[in-house]
Amino acid sequence: MFNDIQANGAQVLASSLQGNSTLLSLRLSGNKIGRGGGLELASMLQENCALQELEVVDCDLDTSSIIALIIMLKKNKALCSVDISRPLLFSHQEEWAVHCSKMLAVNSSLMELHLGRMGMTDTGIEQLTEGLGRNHSLRYLDLCSNRVTRDGAFHLAMMLTQNRALEILDLSSNQIGDGGAGYLSKAITCPRSTLKESKGV
C-alpha cells in the first residue's frame, strides 16, 4: 500500500497471481495503477481462485476498470472482501452501479463491499438496491462519503425489507437527513431485518 507501483507493476503482479494458489490478500491502495492496472487485475481474477481480499482504494481507477472488476465478481467465487473506494470517475451516468447491481444479484461469495467516495447519488443507490434485494451473502456494505440523500435512504430502507443477509451498513458522511434516518430506522426495527449496525444514521 502507498508505494509507487503503477500500471506496469500491476501488470507484473497480475501475471504472477494468475496461477497463484496461496496468496489470500492483495492490498494495493494508494498506488496509482490507473486504468491499465485495473484492467490487468480484472483479467487476473478470471484465473485466480485463491484471492479472498482485494483492496484498491485511491488507485486512480477509471469507470472502465471499475466495471471490469465488478463484472469479474459475477464469475469469481473466491473473493470475500473488495474495496474499490475513491476511484477517478468523471461520468455522472453511474454505469458502474448498474453492473454492480447485476453482480450482487448473482454473487454468492462476497461478504464485504466498500464503495466509499464513489460520487454515488440517489439514482445510483436505486440501481444498486435492485441487486441487493436478491443478494444472500453480503454482510457489510460501505457507502460512506457519497452523495446519498433522503431519497436514497428510502430505497435502501425498502431493500432492507427484502434482504436477509446484510448486517452492517455504513452511510457516514452522506446527506440523508432526519427523513432518511426515519426511513432506515423503521426498516431496521422490522422483525425480518438482519441489520445489526448502521453507521451514520
Side-chain angles (χ1 to χ4, degrees), residues 92-94 96-98 100-101 104 115-116 118-133 141-160 169-171 174-176 184:
H92 297 292
Q93 300 300 316
E94 297 184 273
W96 67 269
V98 176
C100 197
S101 179
L104 287 167
L115 302 172
M118 303 282 287
M120 192 185 312
T121 66
D122 295 334
T123 301
I125 288 291
E126 183 176 7
Q127 294 166 339
L128 197 66
T129 53
E130 291 179 14
L132 279 167
L141 178 61
D142 174 10
L143 299 172
C144 72
S145 302
N146 280 293
R147 293 187 286 161
V148 184
T149 70
R150 181 188 64 181
D151 293 341
F154 172 78
H155 293 300
L156 285 167
M158 292 300 99
M159 175 274 297
L160 289 171
L169 176 63
D170 189 349
L171 277 170
N174 280 283
Q175 305 295 324
I176 64 170
L184 289 167

Side-chain angles (χ1 to χ4, degrees), residues 38-54:
L39 292 175
E40 291 289 346
L41 291 176
S43 179
M44 174 271 292
L45 291 174
Q46 294 184 67
E47 306 294 332
N48 185 289
C49 300
L51 205 64
Q52 296 179 11
E53 179 185 26
L54 177 64

Side-chain angles (χ1 to χ4, degrees), residues 38-199:
L39 292 175
E40 291 289 346
L41 291 176
S43 179
M44 174 271 292
L45 291 174
Q46 294 184 67
E47 306 294 332
N48 185 289
C49 300
L51 205 64
Q52 296 179 11
E53 179 185 26
L54 177 64
E55 186 179 299
V56 282
V57 180
D58 193 20
C59 286
D60 287 357
L61 302 180
D62 69 349
T63 300
S64 60
S65 53
I66 288 290
I67 290 175
L69 285 166
I70 289 171
I71 289 174
M72 284 308 104
L73 289 173
K74 293 173 74 173
K75 302 173 183 177
N76 187 292
K77 304 299 181 186
L79 279 167
C80 299
S81 176
V82 173
D83 193 340
I84 54 175
S85 300
R86 202 174 179 183
L88 286 178
L89 303 179
F90 299 108
S91 170
H92 297 292
Q93 300 300 316
E94 297 184 273
E95 305 97 326
W96 67 269
V98 176
H99 289 279
C100 197
S101 179
K102 292 178 179 178
M103 176 274 291
L104 287 167
V106 299
N107 183 286
S108 59
S109 58
L110 200 61
M111 298 181 68
E112 188 170 325
L113 180 60
H114 296 266
L115 302 172
R117 298 189 181 183
M118 303 282 287
M120 192 185 312
T121 66
D122 295 334
T123 301
I125 288 291
E126 183 176 7
Q127 294 166 339
L128 197 66
T129 53
E130 291 179 14
L132 279 167
R134 294 185 296 230
N135 183 276
H136 303 291
S137 64
L138 198 69
R139 300 290 186 267
Y140 185 159
L141 178 61
D142 174 10
L143 299 172
C144 72
S145 302
N146 280 293
R147 293 187 286 161
V148 184
T149 70
R150 181 188 64 181
D151 293 341
F154 172 78
H155 293 300
L156 285 167
M158 292 300 99
M159 175 274 297
L160 289 171
T161 64
Q162 305 171 35
N163 185 290
R164 297 290 181 272
L166 201 63
E167 296 178 354
I168 301 174
L169 176 63
D170 189 349
L171 277 170
S172 55
S173 299
N174 280 283
Q175 305 295 324
I176 64 170
D178 292 341
Y183 291 139
L184 289 167
S185 296
K186 289 180 181 178
I188 292 168
T189 56
C190 173
R192 294 173 293 177
S193 174
T194 56
L195 208 64
K196 295 177 180 178
E197 183 177 354
S198 182
K199 302 177 182 178

